[in-house]
Amino acid sequence: MEYNLADLFESVVDVVPGREALVYVDHPGTGAERRLTYAELDAAANRVGHHLLAAGIRPGEHVGLHLYNGVEYLQTVLGCLKARLVPVNVNYRYVADELAYLYRDADLVALVFDAEFAERVAAVLPRADKLRRLVRVGQPAPEEAPLVDLAHSVGATVVGFADAEAASSSGRGFPARSQDDLFIIYTGGTTGLPKGVMWRQEDLFFAGLGGGSPTGEPVGKPEELAERVAAGGEGVTFFPTAPLMHGTSTLTAFIGFGFGQRVVIHRKFVPREVLRTIAKERVTAVSLVGDAMLRPLVDALAGPMKGTDCSGLFSVSSSGAVLSDTVRAQFGALVPHAQLLNNFGSTESGFNGTATEAAGAGEGFRIRVNSRTRVVDPATYEPVAAGEIGRVAQRGHVPLGYYNDPVKTAGTFFERDGERWVLLGDMATVDEDGVVTVLGRGSQCINTGGEKVYPEEVEQALKAHPDVYDALVAGVPDAVWGNRVAAVVQVRAGARAPSLADVQTHCRTRLAGYKVPRRLVVAEAIRRSPSGKADYRWAREVAGAGADGTDGHDGGGDADA
């Protein structure tokens, strides 16, 4: 047995076949749900794997998942892994041109898609010449008829997911697998074209899934995972609330499966329904992405969902976006017994560490990193001296590179002393004790009069303003200073929109003068990805135009004020 995710999952199934594995809640408010034991989920995944192999999809080929959250999503990921096919996540927010790029860049030969995306898939199909099998989840809609005709004309076929399942074997019977089998996670798209991160499954198991024990000692051999599950009990329920097409949520589900525990998913993130499920299912661990997801939960708990039973909740973790001190404090007052974790990592590195505390107002976040993480000079890859700014890098179990992109791979992945490393985009310092202070993404850094400002630290300060619900910060051109700091804010419901002077007065108590926003744009809503990640490209456009259906308020002033 090797560190192959399908092998590991099957080993868990064999020791706890009757234990509940997955609970799926459909459209919020309908009460519709599905519950599968480990044996049932295993059989369902086998059917998907056998169907794709019977359709002529061969080991190593790529299968896209253009889906909302659902049983079918995790079933298809597992089915692909069992059949040695490579699952590829697809952002369901993408429009036709973006989808065409991803379908082609990922070399998709098969696609599992939700019925409501049929029209969008049809628009892209003529530009995705490798697609030959389309599997539709849900009942066919009128929009599917053109897709069926179009698929036939280009030599592809469209089948219903339920029909594919019914005609396929629920048994295993797959060829031997390898720890070198790939798992590809596409990331990005808000600051550039999406990139497919290629993981060997062994590397992903240790870097992204904690090696079978994210908080303790990783397993020493593949067989040990099932031994731990058999020796332990049940009672832990994981609830990844972000879309499964966001890598963190799928990996959270696999962490749950690796423990032989229960995983709960919703079709979409609706705060009140999330809280109802936390109470009903006695959820233990929630994962989400930043303030964009935690703040609506706080508002619901403080308002219409006040008194919701969250007594089973042990931890709430954020990945992909840092939770602000303000929202953390608000949640802590409502659910004081639950741990709040700012996990630091990326699609390219897996888990790096957990934020222990803010380094100080406007000074980044202190991270207790694992032994594989360093802060290095990006030009030489040498570790930086204490107090010097460098980039975060990680060694050991890291991806092979970006799929179909040798240039970006060469700029991000390197080898040193016989080990593979990945160079992340996060700028940081390290102190004498090895504690890393993450400043922010280098690509978003604002250079104003020679001083460097990282948007995240200014956003932290803005979110502490009582009338600000959400905020993004970007640089806009300035004839004197090169760039000036601009803030795009969403006002809390029922609150008065703050003036630039209000915001500056507030921020001066928390930030150095050159970091204080010199321009303020009030937007109806802050634009983020479905997973809650910031869309800085949009923020720069809105901040620069001073429009988007709202007025911009330019405060002028010196960058050093």
Side-chain angles (χ1 to χ4, degrees), residues 210-293:
S213 181
T215 58
E217 187 67 26
V219 298
K221 57 182 180 179
E223 294 78 9
E224 190 179 334
L225 186 70
E227 293 170 4
R228 291 187 179 185
V229 171
E234 54 186 313
V236 178
T237 298
F238 292 82
F239 189 1
T241 59
L244 289 165
M245 61 85 174
H246 179 51
T248 295
S249 281
T250 294
L251 297 185
T252 298
F254 271 75
I255 289 173
F257 295 150
F259 287 160
Q261 300 298 323
R262 186 170 61 158
V263 174
V264 173
I265 55 174
H266 274 198
R267 182 171 177 81
K268 297 180 181 179
F269 178 78
V270 178
R272 295 187 190 188
E273 299 303 324
V274 166
L275 292 171
R276 289 191 179 99
T277 294
I278 288 173
K280 178 184 176 184
E281 302 296 337
R282 301 289 296 168
V283 169
T284 311
V286 166
S287 66
L288 42 73
V289 182
D291 288 355
M293 299 187 79

Side-chain angles (χ1 to χ4, degrees), residues 133-197:
R133 172 66 65 157
L134 305 173
V135 184
R136 183 239 321 126
V137 175
Q139 295 302 312
E143 294 82 5
E144 185 174 317
L147 173 60
V148 173
D149 293 339
L150 182 60
H152 180 73
S153 70
V154 298
T157 56
V158 181
V159 299
F161 194 94
D163 293 335
E165 279 191 294
S168 302
S169 170
S170 62
R172 292 177 181 171
F174 296 101
R177 310 175 186 109
S178 167
Q179 58 197 16
D180 294 323
D181 289 349
L182 290 182
F183 194 117
I184 293 181
I185 305 174
Y186 265 75
T187 183
T190 59
T191 57
L193 294 173
K195 306 176 292 294
V197 181

Side-chain angles (χ1 to χ4, degrees), residues 30 68 103 140 241 258 267 270 272 313 352 356 358-359 447 456 499 504 524 539:
T30 65
Y68 286 123
Y103 285 10
T241 59
R267 182 171 177 81
V270 178
R272 295 187 190 188
L313 196 57
N352 292 85
T356 57
N447 189 322
E456 292 93 333
S499 67
Q504 290 178 328
E524 183 177 344

Side-chain angles (χ1 to χ4, degrees), residues 65-125:
L65 286 82
H66 191 162
L67 297 164
Y68 286 123
N69 287 4
V71 170
E72 294 85 0
Y73 197 108
L74 292 172
Q75 178 183 351
T76 300
V77 172
L78 286 165
C80 287
L81 300 180
K82 284 169 170 284
R84 302 192 73 184
L85 311 177
V86 182
V88 176
N89 56 314
V90 177
N91 189 328
Y92 54 72
R93 285 266 185 92
Y94 282 174
V95 297
D97 285 349
E98 293 168 313
L99 288 172
Y101 170 83
L102 193 152
Y103 285 10
R104 290 198 306 265
D105 187 71
D107 289 326
L108 299 185
V109 298
L111 183 75
V112 182
F113 67 98
D114 269 318
E116 59 198 275
F117 299 132
E119 188 173 7
R120 213 174 301 176
V121 174
V124 174
L125 189 57

Side-chain angles (χ1 to χ4, degrees), residues 1-13 205 222 225:
M1 184 176 176
E2 297 188 332
Y3 289 109
N4 175 278
L5 298 184
D7 285 346
L8 293 168
F9 176 76
E10 290 177 354
S11 73
V12 171
V13 172
F205 175 70
L225 186 70

